Amino acid sequence: MAKLGKRTTAARAAFAGKDNVSVSEAVSLVKDNAKAKFDETIEISLVLGVDPRHADQMVRGTVSLPNGTGKTVRVAVFARGEKADEAKAAGADIVGAEDLMETVQGGTIEFDRCIATPDMMGVVGRLGKVLGPRNLMPNPRVGTVTMDVAQAVADAKGGQVQFKAEKAGVVHAGIGKASFSAAQIEENVKAFVDAVQKARPTGAKGTYMQKISLTSTMGPGVSLDIANATGN
């Protein structure tokens, strides 16, 4: 069995016996023990009482975090003509139509968010098997199929986070960096939890939020007190 390093051992000791803590305590624990040589991402996971295989229990949406994510988001836009020009002016990293489709089909995906105008969905639809598994497929429900490409690009660049329940009913996302202040991380945690709470589907029965946990890229995780995190 591999021997644990001093940093890992110290982090595990700090987290020992900690369970269902307040958002404030969880943030302090995670932030204080994020001691890697890079700026670790603060990640949140929520276990929900849903089965996303049923359409009426799917959870998905977006949230604009008050303090951003601390991550540089690369945005691709499928558009033509005037809308392509608007996307470029708004700061889109990649703009194209059939040429961009061919690039993606060839295996080159150099973006983190994909936006399309409605008229381009016939082209983008051919990329479902490529973009779908990466959660990059444009969708009108989360504002990535739109004529207002400039606003969509601005939102993506400004800290908007998309979320979607996976097969086990788990939603997770990066909601900041260890270099953020504790107050900034707390605000982002509460904004994200609130957005997922509001996205509760009509088919969800029983306890909706079952577990919330916070961690950093290289650190242990800690569970949050759900009532404290949701303000209930």
Side-chain angles (χ1 to χ4, degrees), residues 134-204:
R134 294 173 172 81
N135 200 26
L136 289 173
M137 193 67 183
N139 188 305
R141 290 182 60 186
V142 294
T144 49
V145 176
T146 176
M147 289 300 288
D148 194 352
V149 291
Q151 185 61 55
V153 171
D155 288 341
K157 293 280 189 179
Q160 185 188 70
V161 173
Q162 293 184 4
F163 57 86
K164 179 181 178 181
E166 298 178 347
K167 289 182 180 179
V170 177
V171 170
H172 62 84
I175 47 88
K177 293 288 185 178
S179 58
F180 283 19
S181 70
Q184 288 177 317
I185 298 171
E186 284 185 44
E187 288 177 354
N188 281 2
V189 167
K190 291 180 178 179
F192 188 85
V193 172
D194 183 58
V196 176
Q197 182 89 307
K198 289 178 178 176
R200 176 172 181 155
T202 56

Coordinates of all heavy atoms in Angstrom, one line a residue, residues 134-204:
R134 N -20.1 14.9 -24.0 CA -19.2 15.9 -23.3 C -20.1 17.0 -22.7 O -19.5 18.0 -22.2 CB -18.2 16.5 -24.3 CG -17.2 15.4 -24.8 CD -16.4 16.0 -26.0 NE -15.2 15.2 -26.3 CZ -15.3 14.2 -27.2 NH1 -16.5 13.8 -27.7 NH2 -14.3 13.4 -27.5
N135 N -21.4 16.9 -22.8 CA -22.3 17.9 -22.3 C -22.1 19.3 -23.0 O -22.1 20.3 -22.4 CB -22.2 18.1 -20.8 CG -23.4 18.7 -20.1 OD1 -24.5 18.7 -20.7 ND2 -23.2 19.4 -19.0
L136 N -21.8 19.2 -24.3 CA -21.5 20.4 -25.0 C -22.6 20.7 -26.1 O -22.5 21.7 -26.8 CB -20.1 20.3 -25.8 CG -18.9 20.3 -24.9 CD1 -17.6 20.0 -25.7 CD2 -18.7 21.7 -24.2
M137 N -23.5 19.8 -26.2 CA -24.6 20.0 -27.2 C -25.4 21.3 -26.9 O -26.0 21.4 -25.8 CB -25.5 18.8 -27.3 CG -26.3 18.8 -28.5 SD -25.4 18.5 -30.0 CE -26.7 18.6 -31.3
P138 N -25.5 22.2 -27.8 CA -26.4 23.4 -27.6 C -27.8 23.0 -27.3 O -28.3 22.0 -27.9 CB -26.3 24.2 -28.9 CG -25.0 23.8 -29.5 CD -24.8 22.3 -29.1
N139 N -28.4 23.7 -26.4 CA -29.8 23.4 -26.0 C -30.5 24.6 -25.6 O -30.0 25.5 -24.8 CB -29.7 22.4 -24.7 CG -31.1 21.9 -24.3 OD1 -32.0 22.6 -24.1 ND2 -31.2 20.5 -24.2
P140 N -31.7 24.8 -26.2 CA -32.5 26.1 -25.9 C -32.9 26.2 -24.4 O -33.0 27.3 -23.9 CB -33.7 25.9 -26.8 CG -33.8 24.5 -27.1 CD -32.4 24.0 -27.1
R141 N -33.0 25.1 -23.7 CA -33.4 25.1 -22.3 C -32.3 25.8 -21.4 O -32.6 26.3 -20.3 CB -33.6 23.7 -21.7 CG -34.9 23.1 -22.3 CD -35.2 21.7 -21.8 NE -35.3 21.7 -20.3 CZ -35.4 20.7 -19.6 NH1 -35.4 19.5 -20.1 NH2 -35.6 20.7 -18.3
V142 N -31.1 25.8 -21.9 CA -30.0 26.4 -21.1 C -29.4 27.6 -21.8 O -28.4 28.1 -21.4 CB -28.9 25.4 -20.7 CG1 -29.4 24.3 -19.8 CG2 -28.2 24.8 -22.0
G143 N -30.1 28.1 -22.8 CA -29.8 29.3 -23.4 C -28.6 29.3 -24.4 O -28.1 30.3 -24.8
T144 N -28.3 28.1 -24.9 CA -27.2 28.0 -25.8 C -27.6 27.8 -27.3 O -26.8 27.6 -28.2 CB -26.2 26.8 -25.4 OG1 -26.9 25.6 -25.1 CG2 -25.4 27.2 -24.2
V145 N -28.9 27.7 -27.5 CA -29.5 27.8 -28.8 C -30.3 29.1 -28.8 O -31.4 29.2 -28.2 CB -30.4 26.6 -29.2 CG1 -31.1 26.9 -30.5 CG2 -29.6 25.3 -29.2
T146 N -29.8 30.1 -29.4 CA -30.4 31.5 -29.3 C -29.9 32.4 -30.4 O -28.9 32.2 -31.0 CB -29.9 32.1 -27.9 OG1 -30.4 33.4 -27.8 CG2 -28.4 32.2 -27.8
M147 N -30.8 33.4 -30.7 CA -30.4 34.4 -31.7 C -29.5 35.5 -31.0 O -28.8 36.2 -31.7 CB -31.6 35.0 -32.3 CG -32.4 34.1 -33.2 SD -31.4 33.6 -34.7 CE -31.3 35.1 -35.6
D148 N -29.6 35.6 -29.7 CA -28.8 36.6 -29.0 C -27.4 36.0 -28.6 O -27.1 35.7 -27.5 CB -29.5 37.0 -27.7 CG -28.9 38.3 -27.1 OD1 -27.9 38.7 -27.6 OD2 -29.5 38.8 -26.2
V149 N -26.6 35.7 -29.7 CA -25.3 35.0 -29.4 C -24.4 35.9 -28.6 O -23.6 35.4 -27.8 CB -24.7 34.6 -30.8 CG1 -25.5 33.5 -31.4 CG2 -24.5 35.8 -31.7
A150 N -24.5 37.2 -28.8 CA -23.6 38.1 -28.0 C -23.8 37.9 -26.5 O -22.9 37.8 -25.7 CB -23.8 39.6 -28.4
Q151 N -25.1 37.9 -26.1 CA -25.4 37.7 -24.7 C -25.0 36.3 -24.2 O -24.4 36.2 -23.1 CB -26.9 37.9 -24.4 CG -27.3 37.9 -22.9 CD -26.6 39.0 -22.1 OE1 -26.7 40.2 -22.5 NE2 -25.9 38.6 -21.1
A152 N -25.2 35.3 -25.0 CA -24.8 34.0 -24.6 C -23.3 33.8 -24.4 O -22.8 33.2 -23.5 CB -25.3 33.0 -25.7
V153 N -22.6 34.5 -25.3 CA -21.1 34.5 -25.2 C -20.7 35.2 -23.9 O -19.8 34.7 -23.2 CB -20.4 35.1 -26.4 CG1 -18.9 35.3 -26.2 CG2 -20.6 34.2 -27.7
A154 N -21.3 36.4 -23.7 CA -21.0 37.1 -22.5 C -21.3 36.3 -21.2 O -20.5 36.4 -20.2 CB -21.8 38.4 -22.5
D155 N -22.4 35.6 -21.2 CA -22.8 34.8 -20.0 C -21.8 33.7 -19.8 O -21.3 33.5 -18.7 CB -24.2 34.2 -20.2 CG -25.3 35.2 -20.1 OD1 -25.1 36.3 -19.6 OD2 -26.4 34.9 -20.6
A156 N -21.4 33.0 -20.9 CA -20.4 31.9 -20.7 C -19.1 32.4 -20.2 O -18.4 31.8 -19.4 CB -20.3 31.2 -22.1
K157 N -18.6 33.6 -20.7 CA -17.4 34.1 -20.4 C -17.4 34.7 -19.0 O -16.4 34.8 -18.3 CB -16.9 35.2 -21.4 CG -16.6 34.7 -22.8 CD -15.2 34.1 -22.8 CE -14.8 33.9 -24.3 NZ -13.4 33.3 -24.3
G158 N -18.6 35.1 -18.5 CA -18.7 35.8 -17.2 C -19.0 34.9 -16.0 O -19.3 35.5 -15.0
G159 N -18.9 33.6 -16.2 CA -19.0 32.8 -15.0 C -20.3 32.0 -14.9 O -20.7 31.5 -13.9
Q160 N -21.0 31.9 -16.0 CA -22.2 31.1 -16.0 C -21.8 29.6 -16.0 O -21.0 29.2 -16.8 CB -23.1 31.4 -17.3 CG -24.4 30.7 -17.3 CD -25.2 30.8 -18.6 OE1 -24.7 30.3 -19.6 NE2 -26.2 31.6 -18.6
V161 N -22.5 28.8 -15.2 CA -22.2 27.4 -15.1 C -23.5 26.6 -15.5 O -24.6 26.9 -15.1 CB -21.9 27.0 -13.6 CG1 -21.7 25.5 -13.5 CG2 -20.5 27.7 -13.3
Q162 N -23.3 25.6 -16.4 CA -24.4 24.7 -16.7 C -24.3 23.5 -15.8 O -23.2 23.1 -15.4 CB -24.2 24.2 -18.2 CG -24.3 25.3 -19.2 CD -24.3 24.7 -20.6 OE1 -24.1 23.5 -20.8 NE2 -24.3 25.6 -21.6
F163 N -25.5 22.9 -15.5 CA -25.5 21.7 -14.7 C -26.6 20.8 -15.3 O -27.5 21.2 -15.9 CB -25.8 22.0 -13.2 CG -27.1 22.8 -12.9 CD1 -28.3 22.1 -12.8 CD2 -27.1 24.1 -12.8 CE1 -29.5 22.8 -12.5 CE2 -28.3 24.8 -12.5 CZ -29.5 24.1 -12.4
K164 N -26.3 19.5 -15.1 CA -27.2 18.5 -15.6 C -27.0 17.2 -14.7 O -25.9 16.8 -14.4 CB -26.9 18.1 -17.0 CG -27.7 17.0 -17.6 CD -27.3 16.8 -19.1 CE -28.1 15.7 -19.7 NZ -27.7 15.4 -21.1
A165 N -28.1 16.6 -14.3 CA -28.1 15.4 -13.5 C -27.6 14.2 -14.3 O -28.0 14.0 -15.5 CB -29.5 15.1 -12.9
E166 N -26.6 13.5 -13.8 CA -26.1 12.3 -14.4 C -27.0 11.1 -14.1 O -28.0 11.3 -13.4 CB -24.7 12.1 -14.0 CG -23.7 13.2 -14.4 CD -22.3 13.0 -13.9 OE1 -22.1 12.1 -13.0 OE2 -21.4 13.7 -14.3
K167 N -26.7 9.9 -14.6 CA -27.5 8.8 -14.5 C -27.9 8.5 -13.0 O -29.0 8.0 -12.7 CB -26.9 7.5 -15.1 CG -26.8 7.6 -16.6 CD -26.2 6.4 -17.2 CE -26.1 6.4 -18.7 NZ -25.5 5.2 -19.3
A168 N -27.0 8.6 -12.1 CA -27.2 8.3 -10.7 C -27.9 9.5 -10.0 O -28.1 9.4 -8.7 CB -26.0 8.0 -10.0
G169 N -28.3 10.5 -10.7 CA -29.0 11.6 -10.0 C -28.0 12.6 -9.4 O -28.4 13.3 -8.5
V170 N -26.8 12.6 -9.9 CA -25.7 13.4 -9.3 C -25.5 14.7 -10.2 O -25.4 14.5 -11.4 CB -24.4 12.7 -9.1 CG1 -23.3 13.6 -8.5 CG2 -24.6 11.5 -8.2
V171 N -25.4 15.8 -9.5 CA -25.1 17.1 -10.2 C -23.8 17.6 -9.6 O -23.6 17.6 -8.4 CB -26.2 18.1 -10.0 CG1 -25.7 19.5 -10.5 CG2 -27.5 17.7 -10.7
H172 N -22.8 17.9 -10.5 CA -21.6 18.4 -10.0 C -21.0 19.5 -10.9 O -21.3 19.6 -12.1 CB -20.5 17.3 -9.8 CG -20.1 16.6 -11.1 ND1 -19.2 17.1 -11.9 CD2 -20.6 15.5 -11.6 CE1 -19.0 16.3 -13.0 NE2 -19.9 15.3 -12.8
A173 N -20.2 20.4 -10.3 CA -19.6 21.5 -11.0 C -18.5 22.1 -10.3 O -18.4 22.0 -9.1 CB -20.7 22.6 -11.3
G174 N -17.6 22.8 -11.0 CA -16.6 23.6 -10.4 C -17.2 25.0 -10.1 O -17.8 25.6 -11.0
I175 N -17.1 25.5 -8.9 CA -17.7 26.7 -8.6 C -16.8 27.8 -8.0 O -17.2 28.7 -7.3 CB -18.9 26.5 -7.6 CG1 -18.6 25.6 -6.4 CG2 -20.1 25.9 -8.3 CD1 -18.0 26.3 -5.2
G176 N -15.5 27.7 -8.3 CA -14.5 28.7 -7.9 C -13.1 28.1 -7.8 O -12.9 27.0 -8.2
K177 N -12.2 28.9 -7.2 CA -10.9 28.5 -7.1 C -10.4 28.7 -5.6 O -11.0 29.5 -4.9 CB -9.9 29.4 -8.0 CG -10.1 29.1 -9.5 CD -9.6 27.8 -9.9 CE -9.6 27.6 -11.4 NZ -9.0 26.3 -11.8
A178 N -9.4 27.9 -5.2 CA -9.0 28.0 -3.8 C -8.4 29.4 -3.5 O -8.4 29.8 -2.3 CB -7.9 26.9 -3.6
S179 N -8.0 30.1 -4.5 CA -7.5 31.5 -4.3 C -8.6 32.5 -4.0 O -8.4 33.6 -3.6 CB -6.7 32.0 -5.5 OG -7.5 31.9 -6.7
F180 N -9.9 32.1 -4.2 CA -11.0 33.0 -3.9 C -11.1 33.2 -2.4 O -10.6 32.3 -1.6 CB -12.3 32.4 -4.4 CG -12.6 32.4 -5.8 CD1 -11.6 32.7 -6.8 CD2 -13.9 32.2 -6.3 CE1 -11.9 32.7 -8.1 CE2 -14.2 32.3 -7.7 CZ -13.2 32.6 -8.6
S181 N -11.7 34.3 -2.0 CA -11.9 34.4 -0.5 C -13.0 33.5 -0.1 O -13.8 33.0 -0.9 CB -12.3 35.9 -0.2 OG -13.6 36.1 -0.7
A182 N -13.0 33.2 1.2 CA -14.0 32.3 1.8 C -15.4 32.8 1.5 O -16.3 32.1 1.1 CB -13.8 32.1 3.3
A183 N -15.6 34.2 1.6 CA -16.9 34.8 1.3 C -17.3 34.6 -0.1 O -18.5 34.3 -0.4 CB -16.8 36.3 1.7
Q184 N -16.4 34.7 -1.1 CA -16.7 34.5 -2.5 C -17.2 33.1 -2.8 O -18.1 32.8 -3.5 CB -15.5 34.9 -3.3 CG -15.2 36.3 -3.4 CD -14.0 36.6 -4.2 OE1 -13.0 35.9 -4.1 NE2 -14.0 37.6 -5.1
I185 N -16.4 32.1 -2.2 CA -16.8 30.7 -2.4 C -18.2 30.4 -1.8 O -19.0 29.7 -2.4 CB -15.7 29.8 -1.8 CG1 -14.4 30.0 -2.5 CG2 -16.1 28.3 -1.9 CD1 -13.2 29.3 -1.8
E186 N -18.4 30.9 -0.6 CA -19.7 30.7 0.1 C -20.8 31.2 -0.8 O -21.9 30.6 -0.9 CB -19.7 31.4 1.5 CG -19.0 30.7 2.5 CD -19.1 31.4 3.9 OE1 -20.3 31.7 4.2 OE2 -18.1 31.5 4.6
E187 N -20.7 32.4 -1.3 CA -21.7 33.0 -2.2 C -22.0 32.1 -3.4 O -23.1 31.9 -3.8 CB -21.3 34.4 -2.6 CG -21.3 35.5 -1.5 CD -20.9 36.8 -2.0 OE1 -20.3 37.0 -3.1 OE2 -21.0 37.8 -1.2
N188 N -20.9 31.6 -4.0 CA -21.0 30.8 -5.2 C -21.7 29.5 -4.8 O -22.6 28.9 -5.6 CB -19.7 30.5 -5.8 CG -19.2 31.7 -6.7 OD1 -19.9 32.7 -6.7 ND2 -18.0 31.5 -7.3
V189 N -21.4 28.9 -3.7 CA -22.0 27.6 -3.2 C -23.5 27.8 -3.1 O -24.3 27.0 -3.6 CB -21.4 27.1 -1.9 CG1 -22.3 26.0 -1.3 CG2 -20.0 26.6 -2.1
K190 N -23.9 28.9 -2.4 CA -25.3 29.1 -2.1 C -26.1 29.4 -3.4 O -27.2 29.0 -3.6 CB -25.5 30.2 -1.1 CG -25.0 29.8 0.3 CD -25.1 30.9 1.3 CE -24.7 30.4 2.7 NZ -24.8 31.5 3.8
A191 N -25.4 30.1 -4.3 CA -26.1 30.4 -5.6 C -26.3 29.2 -6.4 O -27.3 29.0 -7.0 CB -25.2 31.4 -6.4
F192 N -25.3 28.3 -6.4 CA -25.4 27.0 -7.2 C -26.5 26.1 -6.6 O -27.3 25.6 -7.3 CB -24.1 26.3 -7.2 CG -24.1 25.1 -8.1 CD1 -23.8 25.3 -9.5 CD2 -24.4 23.8 -7.6 CE1 -23.8 24.2 -10.3 CE2 -24.4 22.7 -8.5 CZ -24.1 22.9 -9.8
V193 N -26.5 26.0 -5.3 CA -27.5 25.1 -4.6 C -28.9 25.7 -4.8 O -29.8 24.9 -5.1 CB -27.2 25.0 -3.1 CG1 -28.3 24.3 -2.4 CG2 -25.9 24.3 -2.8
D194 N -29.0 27.0 -4.8 CA -30.3 27.6 -5.0 C -30.8 27.4 -6.4 O -32.0 27.1 -6.6 CB -30.2 29.1 -4.7 CG -31.5 29.8 -4.9 OD1 -32.5 29.5 -4.1 OD2 -31.7 30.8 -5.7
A195 N -29.9 27.4 -7.4 CA -30.3 27.2 -8.8 C -30.8 25.7 -9.0 O -31.8 25.5 -9.7 CB -29.1 27.5 -9.7
V196 N -30.1 24.8 -8.4 CA -30.5 23.4 -8.5 C -31.8 23.1 -7.8 O -32.6 22.4 -8.2 CB -29.4 22.5 -7.9 CG1 -29.8 21.0 -8.0 CG2 -28.1 22.6 -8.7
Q197 N -32.0 23.8 -6.6 CA -33.2 23.7 -5.9 C -34.4 24.2 -6.7 O -35.4 23.5 -6.8 CB -33.1 24.6 -4.6 CG -34.3 24.5 -3.7 CD -34.3 23.4 -2.7 OE1 -34.1 22.2 -3.1 NE2 -34.5 23.7 -1.5
K198 N -34.2 25.3 -7.4 CA -35.3 25.9 -8.2 C -35.5 25.0 -9.5 O -36.6 25.2 -10.1 CB -34.9 27.3 -8.6 CG -35.0 28.3 -7.5 CD -34.6 29.7 -7.9 CE -34.7 30.6 -6.7 NZ -34.2 32.0 -7.0
A199 N -34.5 24.2 -9.9 CA -34.7 23.4 -11.1 C -35.4 22.0 -10.7 O -35.4 21.1 -11.6 CB -33.3 23.1 -11.7
R200 N -35.9 21.9 -9.5 CA -36.6 20.6 -9.2 C -37.6 20.3 -10.2 O -38.6 21.1 -10.4 CB -37.2 20.7 -7.8 CG -37.9 19.5 -7.3 CD -38.4 19.5 -5.9 NE -39.1 18.3 -5.5 CZ -39.2 17.8 -4.3 NH1 -38.6 18.5 -3.3 NH2 -39.8 16.7 -4.0
P201 N -37.6 19.1 -10.8 CA -38.5 18.7 -11.8 C -39.9 18.3 -11.2 O -39.9 17.9 -10.0 CB -37.8 17.5 -12.5 CG -37.0 16.9 -11.4 CD -36.5 18.1 -10.6
T202 N -40.9 18.3 -12.0 CA -42.2 18.0 -11.5 C -42.3 16.5 -11.1 O -43.1 16.2 -10.2 CB -43.3 18.2 -12.6 OG1 -42.9 17.5 -13.8 CG2 -43.3 19.7 -12.9
G203 N -41.5 15.6 -11.6 CA -41.6 14.2 -11.3 C -40.8 13.8 -10.1 O -40.9 12.6 -9.7
A204 N -40.1 14.7 -9.5 CA -39.3 14.4 -8.3 C -40.2 14.2 -7.1 O -41.0 15.0 -6.7 CB -38.3 15.5 -8.0

